[in-house]
Amino acid sequence: MNQTPPERLPDTDAGHHIAAAMLRAGRLVAFPTETVYGLGADATNDRAVARIFEAKGRPSFNPLIVHFAELEDLKQHVVWTDEADTLARAYWPGPLTLVLKKHPGSAISSLVTAGLDTIAVRLPGHPAAQAILGALGRGVAAPSANRSGQISPTQPSHVLDSLGGRLDAVLDGGASEVGVESTIIGLLDKPVLLRPGGITEAELAKTLGRNIAVRHKAEAISAPGQLMSHYAPTARVRLNATDWQTGEMRLGFGEVDCDLNLSADEDLVEAASNLFDYLHRLDARGGEAIAVSPIPHEGLGIAINDRLSRAAAPRDG
Ligand code: AMP
Ligand code: MG
């Protein structure tokens, strides 16, 4: 974790370029969008993304929205559809997020998508966000720049009060106007409103010329099978394994003999950054069970254990 106070960058060309250079180097930079201040990390850098979860102190890995400056760059990471095109023309740049199929060749970190084969993308309209993203030329994962459970920041001082020394810089672009998160719409088999926001369901339905199903957050949480599906391996998962049983695929942590090691150095940022990839890789071997070493239940370990215990939970059907 970063101990020195974050740099405060001005909303100028020079500030935007420093912010982009810091992001390129894997550092965490908060910047204004038209909705709220986002805590940004290079979305292709697993470790930088893991540090977002560490800084926010999130108890679980939910998928993050990836922000782009250019539609052409964004399109390389998704399977683009006619409905996506219609909404993009009407509302981008702006406070609308689309959930689409992730392009198989996309280099976006699997931690950003929480191991799912879908991805949430947005082209923000705030000029400072556009300038930073344009200078970087890559996607940036950016949830709200606050500690988990606290309210979303609309000013640099809110970011600093909440995250203090846990980030590397904040770009001071004054107050965010909207103060409400982006509307999220899923465009997979049919349009589904996943999170209400400034752009209403009625507006979106009118633009698309068809009805939009609404999924309430509480329902999604009480019925995990319906949530755009949390990634679960096909293999059975056994947690807190201190020895290995015959035939198990071994996912280690620390100094153990295993098939893949989340972090031989017991570094939780490294472990988080490897988690989804390694689960996928072991699962792809086609064995019946994956055994996982104990992970310390502190800091990022809490989110890692949350994900692992979901993977190990009994399945319905
Ligand atoms: P935040 O980044 O904190 O603004 O929140 C991101 C929101 O987008 C969360 O509510 C996520 O559940 C949602 N989200 C991101 N990616 C996906 C996805 N692939 N499928 C469904 N929801 C997503
Ligand atoms: Mg938030």
Side-chain angles (χ1 to χ4, degrees), residues 178-269:
V178 182
V180 176
E181 270 93 356
S182 60
T183 302
I184 305 181
I185 181 167
L187 292 177
L188 301 169
D189 27 305
K190 56 176 187 188
V192 180
L193 188 74
L194 299 171
R195 179 172 77 186
I199 298 170
T200 65
E201 182 209 335
E203 290 173 83
L204 294 170
K206 192 164 172 219
T207 307
L208 287 177
R210 67 187 286 199
N211 281 344
I212 293 172
V214 179
R215 175 162 293 154
H216 299 289
K217 206 166 186 180
E219 270 172 40
I221 289 165
S222 62
Q226 291 177 15
L227 182 65
M228 308 291 292
S229 196
H230 272 121
Y231 168 69
T234 308
R236 214 166 7 91
V237 177
R238 184 169 73 88
L239 303 181
N240 298 313
T242 49
D243 56 5
W244 309 120
Q245 294 167 10
T246 319
E248 279 181 335
M249 301 178 282
R250 303 161 302 175
L251 183 59
F253 179 84
E255 267 186 44
V256 285
D257 181 29
C258 55
D259 294 298
L260 288 175
N261 201 322
L262 289 169
S263 173
D265 297 335
E266 303 190 13
D267 172 350
L268 290 168
V269 173

Coordinates of all heavy atoms in Angstrom, one line a residue, residues 178-269:
V178 N -23.3 15.1 -12.2 CA -24.5 14.2 -12.1 C -24.6 13.7 -10.7 O -25.7 13.8 -10.1 CB -24.5 13.1 -13.1 CG1 -25.7 12.2 -13.0 CG2 -24.3 13.6 -14.5
G179 N -23.5 13.2 -10.1 CA -23.6 12.7 -8.7 C -24.3 11.4 -8.6 O -24.4 10.9 -7.5
V180 N -24.8 10.9 -9.7 CA -25.5 9.6 -9.6 C -24.7 8.7 -10.6 O -24.3 9.1 -11.6 CB -27.0 9.7 -10.1 CG1 -27.6 8.3 -10.2 CG2 -27.7 10.6 -9.3
E181 N -24.6 7.4 -10.3 CA -23.9 6.5 -11.1 C -24.5 6.3 -12.5 O -25.7 6.6 -12.7 CB -23.7 5.1 -10.4 CG -22.5 5.0 -9.6 CD -22.7 5.3 -8.1 OE1 -23.8 5.8 -7.8 OE2 -21.7 5.2 -7.4
S182 N -23.8 5.7 -13.4 CA -24.3 5.5 -14.8 C -25.4 4.5 -14.8 O -25.4 3.5 -13.9 CB -23.2 5.0 -15.7 OG -22.6 3.8 -15.3
T183 N -26.4 4.6 -15.7 CA -27.4 3.6 -15.9 C -26.6 2.4 -16.6 O -25.8 2.6 -17.4 CB -28.4 4.1 -16.9 OG1 -29.0 5.3 -16.4 CG2 -29.5 3.1 -17.2
I184 N -27.0 1.2 -16.1 CA -26.3 0.0 -16.7 C -27.4 -0.8 -17.4 O -28.4 -1.2 -16.8 CB -25.6 -0.9 -15.7 CG1 -24.6 -0.1 -14.9 CG2 -24.9 -2.1 -16.4 CD1 -23.8 -0.9 -13.8
I185 N -27.2 -1.1 -18.7 CA -28.1 -2.0 -19.4 C -27.4 -3.2 -20.0 O -26.3 -3.0 -20.6 CB -28.9 -1.2 -20.5 CG1 -29.9 -2.1 -21.2 CG2 -27.9 -0.5 -21.5 CD1 -30.9 -1.3 -22.1
G186 N -27.9 -4.4 -19.8 CA -27.3 -5.6 -20.3 C -27.9 -5.8 -21.7 O -29.1 -5.7 -21.9
L187 N -27.1 -6.1 -22.7 CA -27.6 -6.4 -24.1 C -27.1 -7.8 -24.5 O -26.4 -7.9 -25.5 CB -27.0 -5.3 -25.1 CG -27.5 -3.9 -24.9 CD1 -26.8 -3.0 -25.9 CD2 -29.0 -3.8 -25.1
L188 N -27.5 -8.8 -23.7 CA -27.1 -10.1 -24.1 C -28.1 -10.8 -24.9 O -28.2 -10.6 -26.1 CB -26.6 -10.9 -22.8 CG -25.4 -10.1 -22.1 CD1 -25.1 -10.6 -20.8 CD2 -24.2 -10.1 -23.0
D189 N -29.0 -11.6 -24.3 CA -30.1 -12.2 -25.1 C -31.2 -11.2 -25.4 O -31.8 -11.1 -26.5 CB -30.6 -13.5 -24.6 CG -30.5 -13.7 -23.1 OD1 -29.4 -13.5 -22.7 OD2 -31.5 -13.9 -22.5
K190 N -31.5 -10.3 -24.4 CA -32.5 -9.2 -24.6 C -32.0 -8.1 -23.7 O -31.3 -8.3 -22.7 CB -33.9 -9.7 -24.2 CG -33.9 -10.2 -22.8 CD -35.3 -10.6 -22.3 CE -35.2 -11.0 -20.9 NZ -36.3 -11.5 -20.2
P191 N -32.5 -6.8 -23.9 CA -32.1 -5.7 -23.1 C -32.7 -5.8 -21.7 O -33.8 -6.1 -21.5 CB -32.7 -4.5 -23.8 CG -33.2 -5.0 -25.1 CD -33.4 -6.4 -25.0
V192 N -31.8 -5.7 -20.7 CA -32.2 -5.8 -19.3 C -31.5 -4.6 -18.5 O -30.3 -4.4 -18.6 CB -31.7 -7.1 -18.6 CG1 -32.1 -7.2 -17.1 CG2 -32.2 -8.3 -19.4
L193 N -32.4 -3.9 -17.8 CA -31.8 -2.8 -17.0 C -31.2 -3.4 -15.7 O -31.9 -4.0 -14.9 CB -32.9 -1.8 -16.6 CG -32.5 -0.6 -15.9 CD1 -31.8 0.4 -16.9 CD2 -33.6 0.1 -15.2
L194 N -29.9 -3.2 -15.6 CA -29.2 -3.8 -14.4 C -29.0 -2.8 -13.3 O -28.8 -3.2 -12.1 CB -27.8 -4.3 -14.9 CG -27.9 -5.4 -16.0 CD1 -26.5 -5.7 -16.5 CD2 -28.5 -6.7 -15.4
R195 N -28.9 -1.5 -13.6 CA -28.8 -0.5 -12.6 C -29.5 0.8 -13.1 O -29.1 1.2 -14.2 CB -27.4 -0.2 -12.2 CG -27.2 0.9 -11.1 CD -25.8 1.0 -10.6 NE -24.9 1.7 -11.6 CZ -23.6 1.9 -11.4 NH1 -23.0 1.3 -10.4 NH2 -22.9 2.5 -12.3
P196 N -30.4 1.3 -12.3 CA -31.0 2.6 -12.8 C -30.0 3.7 -12.6 O -29.1 3.6 -11.8 CB -32.2 2.8 -11.8 CG -32.0 1.9 -10.7 CD -31.0 0.9 -11.1
G197 N -30.2 4.8 -13.4 CA -29.2 5.9 -13.3 C -29.9 7.1 -14.0 O -31.1 7.1 -14.2
G198 N -29.1 8.0 -14.4 CA -29.6 9.3 -15.0 C -30.4 9.1 -16.2 O -31.3 9.8 -16.5
I199 N -30.0 8.1 -17.1 CA -30.8 7.9 -18.3 C -31.9 6.8 -17.9 O -31.5 5.8 -17.4 CB -29.9 7.4 -19.4 CG1 -28.9 8.5 -19.7 CG2 -30.7 7.0 -20.6 CD1 -27.7 8.0 -20.6
T200 N -33.1 7.2 -18.2 CA -34.2 6.3 -17.7 C -34.5 5.1 -18.6 O -34.2 5.1 -19.8 CB -35.5 7.1 -17.5 OG1 -35.9 7.5 -18.8 CG2 -35.3 8.3 -16.6
E201 N -35.1 4.1 -18.0 CA -35.6 2.9 -18.7 C -36.5 3.3 -19.9 O -36.4 2.8 -21.0 CB -36.3 2.0 -17.7 CG -36.8 0.8 -18.2 CD -38.0 0.3 -17.5 OE1 -38.2 0.7 -16.3 OE2 -38.8 -0.4 -18.1
A202 N -37.4 4.3 -19.6 CA -38.3 4.7 -20.6 C -37.6 5.3 -21.8 O -37.9 5.0 -23.0 CB -39.3 5.7 -20.1
E203 N -36.6 6.1 -21.6 CA -35.8 6.7 -22.7 C -35.1 5.6 -23.5 O -35.1 5.6 -24.7 CB -34.7 7.7 -22.1 CG -35.2 9.0 -21.5 CD -34.1 9.7 -20.9 OE1 -33.3 10.4 -21.6 OE2 -33.8 9.6 -19.6
L204 N -34.5 4.7 -22.8 CA -33.8 3.6 -23.4 C -34.7 2.7 -24.3 O -34.4 2.4 -25.4 CB -33.0 2.7 -22.4 CG -31.9 3.4 -21.6 CD1 -31.4 2.6 -20.5 CD2 -30.8 3.8 -22.6
A205 N -35.9 2.5 -23.7 CA -36.9 1.6 -24.4 C -37.3 2.4 -25.7 O -37.5 1.8 -26.8 CB -38.1 1.4 -23.5
K206 N -37.5 3.7 -25.6 CA -37.9 4.5 -26.8 C -36.8 4.4 -27.8 O -37.1 4.2 -29.0 CB -38.2 5.9 -26.3 CG -38.9 6.7 -27.4 CD -39.5 8.0 -26.8 CE -40.0 8.8 -27.9 NZ -39.8 10.2 -27.7
T207 N -35.6 4.6 -27.4 CA -34.5 4.6 -28.4 C -34.4 3.2 -29.1 O -34.2 3.1 -30.3 CB -33.2 4.9 -27.7 OG1 -33.3 6.1 -27.0 CG2 -32.0 5.1 -28.7
L208 N -34.6 2.1 -28.3 CA -34.4 0.8 -28.9 C -35.7 0.3 -29.6 O -35.7 -0.6 -30.4 CB -34.1 -0.2 -27.8 CG -32.7 -0.2 -27.2 CD1 -32.5 -1.2 -26.1 CD2 -31.6 -0.4 -28.3
G209 N -36.8 1.0 -29.3 CA -38.1 0.6 -29.9 C -38.6 -0.8 -29.4 O -39.3 -1.5 -30.1
R210 N -38.2 -1.1 -28.2 CA -38.7 -2.4 -27.5 C -38.6 -2.2 -26.0 O -37.9 -1.4 -25.5 CB -38.0 -3.6 -28.0 CG -36.5 -3.6 -27.6 CD -35.7 -4.8 -28.2 NE -36.1 -6.1 -27.6 CZ -35.3 -7.2 -27.8 NH1 -34.2 -7.1 -28.4 NH2 -35.7 -8.3 -27.2
N211 N -39.4 -3.1 -25.3 CA -39.4 -3.1 -23.9 C -38.1 -3.5 -23.3 O -37.3 -4.3 -23.9 CB -40.4 -4.1 -23.4 CG -41.8 -3.4 -23.5 OD1 -41.9 -2.2 -23.6 ND2 -42.8 -4.3 -23.4
I212 N -37.8 -3.0 -22.1 CA -36.6 -3.4 -21.4 C -37.0 -4.1 -20.1 O -37.8 -3.6 -19.3 CB -35.8 -2.2 -21.1 CG1 -35.2 -1.6 -22.4 CG2 -34.6 -2.5 -20.1 CD1 -34.6 -0.3 -22.3
A213 N -36.5 -5.3 -19.9 CA -36.7 -6.0 -18.6 C -35.9 -5.3 -17.5 O -34.9 -4.7 -17.8 CB -36.3 -7.5 -18.8
V214 N -36.5 -5.3 -16.3 CA -35.8 -4.7 -15.2 C -35.4 -5.8 -14.2 O -36.2 -6.6 -13.8 CB -36.8 -3.7 -14.5 CG1 -36.0 -3.0 -13.3 CG2 -37.2 -2.6 -15.5
R215 N -34.1 -5.7 -13.8 CA -33.7 -6.7 -12.8 C -33.3 -5.9 -11.6 O -32.5 -5.0 -11.6 CB -32.5 -7.4 -13.3 CG -31.9 -8.3 -12.2 CD -31.0 -9.3 -12.9 NE -31.7 -10.3 -13.7 CZ -31.2 -11.0 -14.7 NH1 -30.0 -10.8 -15.0 NH2 -31.9 -11.8 -15.3
H216 N -34.1 -6.2 -10.5 CA -33.8 -5.4 -9.2 C -32.6 -6.0 -8.5 O -32.4 -7.2 -8.5 CB -35.0 -5.5 -8.3 CG -36.2 -4.8 -9.0 ND1 -36.3 -3.5 -9.2 CD2 -37.3 -5.3 -9.5 CE1 -37.4 -3.2 -9.8 NE2 -38.1 -4.3 -10.0
K217 N -31.8 -5.1 -8.0 CA -30.5 -5.6 -7.4 C -30.8 -6.6 -6.3 O -30.1 -7.6 -6.2 CB -29.8 -4.4 -6.8 CG -28.3 -4.6 -6.8 CD -27.5 -3.3 -6.6 CE -26.0 -3.6 -6.7 NZ -25.2 -2.5 -6.5
A218 N -31.8 -6.3 -5.5 CA -32.0 -7.2 -4.3 C -32.3 -8.6 -4.8 O -31.9 -9.6 -4.3 CB -33.2 -6.7 -3.5
E219 N -33.1 -8.7 -5.9 CA -33.5 -10.0 -6.5 C -32.2 -10.7 -6.9 O -32.0 -11.9 -6.7 CB -34.3 -9.8 -7.7 CG -35.8 -9.8 -7.6 CD -36.4 -9.4 -8.9 OE1 -36.0 -9.9 -9.9 OE2 -37.4 -8.6 -8.8
A220 N -31.4 -9.9 -7.6 CA -30.2 -10.6 -8.2 C -29.3 -11.1 -7.0 O -28.8 -12.2 -7.1 CB -29.3 -9.5 -8.9
I221 N -29.3 -10.4 -5.9 CA -28.4 -10.9 -4.8 C -29.1 -12.1 -4.1 O -28.4 -13.0 -3.7 CB -28.2 -9.7 -3.8 CG1 -27.2 -8.8 -4.5 CG2 -27.6 -10.2 -2.5 CD1 -27.1 -7.4 -3.8
S222 N -30.5 -12.1 -3.9 CA -31.1 -13.2 -3.2 C -31.2 -14.4 -4.1 O -31.4 -15.5 -3.6 CB -32.5 -12.8 -2.7 OG -33.3 -12.5 -3.8
A223 N -31.0 -14.2 -5.4 CA -31.0 -15.4 -6.3 C -29.7 -15.4 -7.1 O -29.7 -15.0 -8.3 CB -32.2 -15.3 -7.2
P224 N -28.7 -15.9 -6.5 CA -27.4 -15.8 -7.1 C -27.3 -16.5 -8.5 O -26.6 -16.1 -9.4 CB -26.4 -16.5 -6.2 CG -27.2 -16.9 -5.0 CD -28.6 -16.5 -5.2
G225 N -28.1 -17.5 -8.7 CA -28.1 -18.2 -10.0 C -28.5 -17.3 -11.1 O -28.2 -17.5 -12.3
Q226 N -29.3 -16.2 -10.8 CA -29.8 -15.3 -11.8 C -28.8 -14.2 -12.1 O -28.9 -13.5 -13.1 CB -31.1 -14.7 -11.4 CG -32.2 -15.6 -11.3 CD -33.5 -15.0 -10.8 OE1 -33.5 -13.7 -10.8 NE2 -34.4 -15.7 -10.4
L227 N -28.0 -13.9 -11.1 CA -27.1 -12.7 -11.3 C -26.2 -13.1 -12.5 O -25.7 -14.1 -12.6 CB -26.2 -12.6 -10.1 CG -25.2 -11.5 -10.1 CD1 -26.0 -10.2 -10.0 CD2 -24.3 -11.6 -8.9
M228 N -26.2 -12.2 -13.5 CA -25.5 -12.4 -14.8 C -24.4 -13.5 -14.6 O -23.3 -13.5 -15.1 CB -24.8 -11.1 -15.2 CG -25.7 -9.9 -15.2 SD -26.9 -10.0 -16.5 CE -26.0 -9.8 -18.0
S229 N -24.6 -14.3 -13.8 CA -23.9 -15.5 -13.3 C -22.4 -15.2 -12.9 O -21.6 -14.8 -13.7 CB -23.9 -16.5 -14.4 OG -23.5 -17.7 -13.8
H230 N -22.2 -15.4 -11.6 CA -20.9 -15.4 -11.1 C -20.1 -16.6 -11.6 O -20.7 -17.7 -11.7 CB -21.0 -15.5 -9.6 CG -21.1 -14.1 -8.9 ND1 -22.1 -13.8 -8.2 CD2 -20.3 -13.0 -9.0 CE1 -22.0 -12.5 -7.8 NE2 -20.9 -12.1 -8.3
Y231 N -18.9 -16.4 -12.0 CA -18.1 -17.5 -12.6 C -17.9 -18.6 -11.5 O -17.5 -18.3 -10.4 CB -16.8 -17.0 -13.0 CG -15.8 -18.1 -13.3 CD1 -16.1 -18.9 -14.4 CD2 -14.8 -18.4 -12.5 CE1 -15.3 -20.0 -14.6 CE2 -14.0 -19.5 -12.7 CZ -14.2 -20.3 -13.8 OH -13.4 -21.4 -14.0
A232 N -18.3 -19.8 -11.9 CA -18.1 -20.9 -11.0 C -17.4 -22.0 -11.8 O -17.9 -22.3 -12.9 CB -19.4 -21.4 -10.4
P233 N -16.4 -22.6 -11.3 CA -15.7 -23.7 -12.1 C -16.6 -24.9 -12.2 O -17.5 -25.1 -11.3 CB -14.4 -24.0 -11.3 CG -14.5 -23.2 -10.0 CD -15.7 -22.3 -10.1
T234 N -16.4 -25.7 -13.2 CA -17.1 -27.0 -13.3 C -16.7 -28.0 -12.3 O -17.4 -28.7 -11.7 CB -16.9 -27.6 -14.7 OG1 -17.1 -26.6 -15.7 CG2 -17.8 -28.8 -15.0
A235 N -15.4 -27.9 -12.0 CA -14.8 -28.9 -11.0 C -15.3 -28.5 -9.6 O -15.7 -27.3 -9.3 CB -13.3 -28.8 -11.0
R236 N -15.4 -29.5 -8.7 CA -15.7 -29.3 -7.3 C -14.6 -28.5 -6.7 O -13.4 -28.6 -7.1 CB -15.8 -30.6 -6.6 CG -16.8 -30.7 -5.5 CD -17.1 -32.2 -5.1 NE -16.3 -33.2 -5.7 CZ -15.2 -33.7 -5.2 NH1 -14.7 -33.3 -4.1 NH2 -14.6 -34.7 -5.9
V237 N -14.8 -27.6 -5.7 CA -13.7 -26.9 -5.1 C -13.7 -27.2 -3.6 O -14.7 -27.2 -2.9 CB -14.0 -25.3 -5.3 CG1 -12.9 -24.5 -4.6 CG2 -14.0 -25.0 -6.8
R238 N -12.5 -27.5 -3.1 CA -12.3 -27.9 -1.7 C -11.3 -26.8 -1.1 O -10.2 -26.6 -1.6 CB -11.6 -29.2 -1.5 CG -11.5 -29.7 -0.1 CD -11.1 -31.2 0.0 NE -9.7 -31.4 -0.4 CZ -8.7 -31.3 0.4 NH1 -8.8 -31.0 1.7 NH2 -7.4 -31.6 0.0
L239 N -11.8 -26.1 -0.1 CA -11.1 -25.0 0.5 C -10.2 -25.4 1.7 O -10.3 -26.5 2.2 CB -12.1 -23.9 1.0 CG -13.0 -23.4 -0.1 CD1 -13.9 -22.3 0.5 CD2 -12.3 -22.8 -1.3
N240 N -9.3 -24.5 2.0 CA -8.4 -24.6 3.2 C -7.7 -26.0 3.2 O -7.6 -26.6 4.3 CB -9.3 -24.5 4.5 CG -9.9 -23.1 4.6 OD1 -9.2 -22.1 4.4 ND2 -11.2 -23.0 4.9
A241 N -7.3 -26.4 2.0 CA -6.6 -27.7 1.9 C -5.2 -27.6 2.5 O -4.4 -26.7 2.0 CB -6.6 -28.1 0.5
T242 N -4.9 -28.3 3.5 CA -3.5 -28.3 4.0 C -2.7 -29.6 3.6 O -1.6 -29.7 3.8 CB -3.5 -28.3 5.6 OG1 -4.4 -29.3 6.0 CG2 -4.0 -26.9 6.0
D243 N -3.5 -30.5 2.9 CA -2.8 -31.6 2.2 C -3.6 -31.8 0.9 O -4.6 -31.2 0.7 CB -2.8 -32.9 3.0 CG -4.2 -33.2 3.4 OD1 -5.2 -32.6 3.0 OD2 -4.4 -34.2 4.2
W244 N -3.0 -32.6 0.0 CA -3.6 -32.8 -1.3 C -4.1 -34.2 -1.4 O -3.4 -35.2 -1.0 CB -2.7 -32.5 -2.5 CG -2.0 -31.2 -2.4 CD1 -0.6 -31.0 -2.3 CD2 -2.6 -29.9 -2.4 NE1 -0.3 -29.6 -2.3 CE2 -1.5 -28.9 -2.4 CE3 -3.9 -29.4 -2.5 CZ2 -1.7 -27.5 -2.4 CZ3 -4.1 -28.0 -2.5 CH2 -3.0 -27.1 -2.5
Q245 N -5.3 -34.4 -2.0 CA -5.8 -35.8 -2.2 C -5.5 -36.2 -3.6 O -5.4 -35.3 -4.5 CB -7.3 -35.9 -1.9 CG -7.5 -35.6 -0.4 CD -9.0 -35.4 0.0 OE1 -9.9 -35.5 -0.8 NE2 -9.2 -34.9 1.2
T246 N -5.4 -37.5 -3.8 CA -5.1 -38.0 -5.2 C -6.0 -37.5 -6.2 O -7.3 -37.5 -6.0 CB -5.2 -39.6 -5.2 OG1 -4.6 -40.0 -3.9 CG2 -4.4 -40.2 -6.3
G247 N -5.5 -37.0 -7.3 CA -6.3 -36.6 -8.4 C -6.8 -35.2 -8.4 O -7.3 -34.6 -9.3
E248 N -6.6 -34.5 -7.2 CA -7.0 -33.1 -7.1 C -6.1 -32.2 -7.9 O -4.9 -32.4 -7.9 CB -7.0 -32.7 -5.7 CG -8.2 -33.1 -4.9 CD -8.1 -32.6 -3.4 OE1 -7.0 -32.3 -2.9 OE2 -9.2 -32.4 -2.8
M249 N -6.6 -31.2 -8.5 CA -5.8 -30.1 -9.0 C -5.5 -29.1 -7.9 O -6.4 -28.7 -7.2 CB -6.5 -29.4 -10.2 CG -6.9 -30.5 -11.3 SD -7.8 -29.8 -12.6 CE -9.5 -29.7 -11.9
R250 N -4.2 -28.8 -7.8 CA -3.8 -28.1 -6.6 C -3.6 -26.6 -6.8 O -2.6 -26.2 -7.5 CB -2.6 -28.8 -6.0 CG -2.8 -30.3 -5.8 CD -1.5 -31.0 -5.7 NE -0.7 -30.9 -6.9 CZ 0.5 -31.3 -7.1 NH1 1.1 -32.0 -6.1 NH2 1.2 -31.2 -8.2
L251 N -4.4 -25.7 -6.2 CA -4.2 -24.3 -6.3 C -3.6 -23.8 -5.0 O -4.2 -23.8 -3.9 CB -5.5 -23.6 -6.5 CG -5.5 -22.1 -6.7 CD1 -4.6 -21.7 -7.9 CD2 -6.9 -21.6 -7.0
G252 N -2.3 -23.5 -5.0 CA -1.6 -23.2 -3.8 C -1.5 -21.7 -3.4 O -1.9 -20.8 -4.2
F253 N -1.0 -21.5 -2.2 CA -0.7 -20.1 -1.7 C 0.4 -20.3 -0.7 O 0.3 -21.1 0.2 CB -2.0 -19.5 -1.1 CG -1.7 -18.1 -0.5 CD1 -1.8 -17.0 -1.3 CD2 -1.4 -17.9 0.8 CE1 -1.6 -15.7 -0.9 CE2 -1.2 -16.6 1.3 CZ -1.3 -15.5 0.5
G254 N 1.5 -19.5 -0.9 CA 2.6 -19.6 0.0 C 3.6 -20.8 -0.5 O 3.4 -21.3 -1.6
E255 N 4.4 -21.2 0.4 CA 5.5 -22.2 0.0 C 4.9 -23.6 0.0 O 5.1 -24.3 1.0 CB 6.6 -22.1 1.1 CG 7.7 -21.1 0.6 CD 8.9 -21.2 1.6 OE1 9.3 -22.3 2.0 OE2 9.3 -20.1 1.9
V256 N 4.2 -23.9 -1.0 CA 3.7 -25.3 -1.1 C 3.9 -25.8 -2.5 O 4.1 -25.1 -3.5 CB 2.1 -25.4 -0.8 CG1 1.8 -25.2 0.6 CG2 1.4 -24.4 -1.7
D257 N 3.9 -27.2 -2.6 CA 4.1 -27.8 -3.8 C 2.7 -27.9 -4.5 O 1.8 -28.4 -3.8 CB 4.7 -29.2 -3.5 CG 4.9 -30.0 -4.8 OD1 5.2 -29.4 -5.8 OD2 4.8 -31.3 -4.7
C258 N 2.5 -27.4 -5.7 CA 1.1 -27.4 -6.2 C 1.2 -27.2 -7.7 O 2.2 -27.1 -8.3 CB 0.4 -26.2 -5.6 SG 1.2 -24.6 -5.8
D259 N 0.0 -27.2 -8.4 CA -0.1 -27.1 -9.8 C 0.1 -25.6 -10.2 O 0.9 -25.3 -11.1 CB -1.4 -27.6 -10.4 CG -1.5 -29.1 -10.2 OD1 -0.7 -29.8 -10.7 OD2 -2.4 -29.6 -9.4
L260 N -0.6 -24.7 -9.6 CA -0.5 -23.3 -9.8 C -0.5 -22.6 -8.5 O -1.3 -23.0 -7.6 CB -1.7 -22.8 -10.7 CG -1.7 -23.2 -12.1 CD1 -3.0 -22.6 -12.8 CD2 -0.5 -22.6 -12.9
N261 N 0.4 -21.6 -8.3 CA 0.5 -20.9 -7.0 C 0.0 -19.5 -7.1 O 0.5 -18.7 -7.9 CB 1.9 -20.9 -6.5 CG 2.0 -20.7 -5.0 OD1 1.2 -20.0 -4.5 ND2 2.9 -21.5 -4.4
L262 N -1.1 -19.2 -6.4 CA -1.6 -17.8 -6.4 C -0.6 -16.8 -6.0 O -0.5 -15.7 -6.7 CB -2.8 -17.7 -5.5 CG -4.1 -18.5 -5.9 CD1 -5.1 -18.5 -4.8 CD2 -4.7 -17.8 -7.1
S263 N 0.2 -17.1 -5.0 CA 1.4 -16.3 -4.7 C 2.3 -17.0 -3.8 O 2.0 -17.2 -2.6 CB 0.9 -15.0 -4.0 OG 2.1 -14.3 -3.6
A264 N 3.4 -17.4 -4.3 CA 4.4 -18.1 -3.5 C 4.9 -17.3 -2.4 O 5.3 -17.7 -1.3 CB 5.6 -18.6 -4.4
D265 N 4.9 -15.9 -2.6 CA 5.4 -15.0 -1.6 C 4.3 -14.6 -0.6 O 4.5 -13.6 0.2 CB 5.9 -13.7 -2.3 CG 7.0 -13.9 -3.2 OD1 7.8 -14.9 -2.9 OD2 7.2 -13.2 -4.1
E266 N 3.2 -15.2 -0.7 CA 2.0 -14.8 0.2 C 1.6 -13.3 0.0 O 1.3 -12.6 1.0 CB 2.3 -15.1 1.7 CG 2.7 -16.6 1.8 CD 2.7 -17.0 3.3 OE1 2.3 -16.3 4.2 OE2 3.2 -18.2 3.5
D267 N 1.7 -12.9 -1.2 CA 1.3 -11.5 -1.5 C -0.1 -11.5 -2.0 O -0.5 -12.1 -3.0 CB 2.3 -11.0 -2.6 CG 1.9 -9.6 -3.2 OD1 0.8 -9.1 -2.8 OD2 2.7 -9.0 -3.9
L268 N -1.0 -10.9 -1.2 CA -2.5 -11.0 -1.5 C -2.9 -10.2 -2.8 O -3.8 -10.6 -3.5 CB -3.3 -10.5 -0.3 CG -3.3 -11.4 0.9 CD1 -3.9 -10.7 2.1 CD2 -4.0 -12.7 0.6
V269 N -2.1 -9.1 -3.1 CA -2.4 -8.4 -4.4 C -2.1 -9.3 -5.6 O -2.9 -9.5 -6.5 CB -1.6 -7.1 -4.5 CG1 -1.7 -6.5 -5.9 CG2 -2.0 -6.1 -3.4

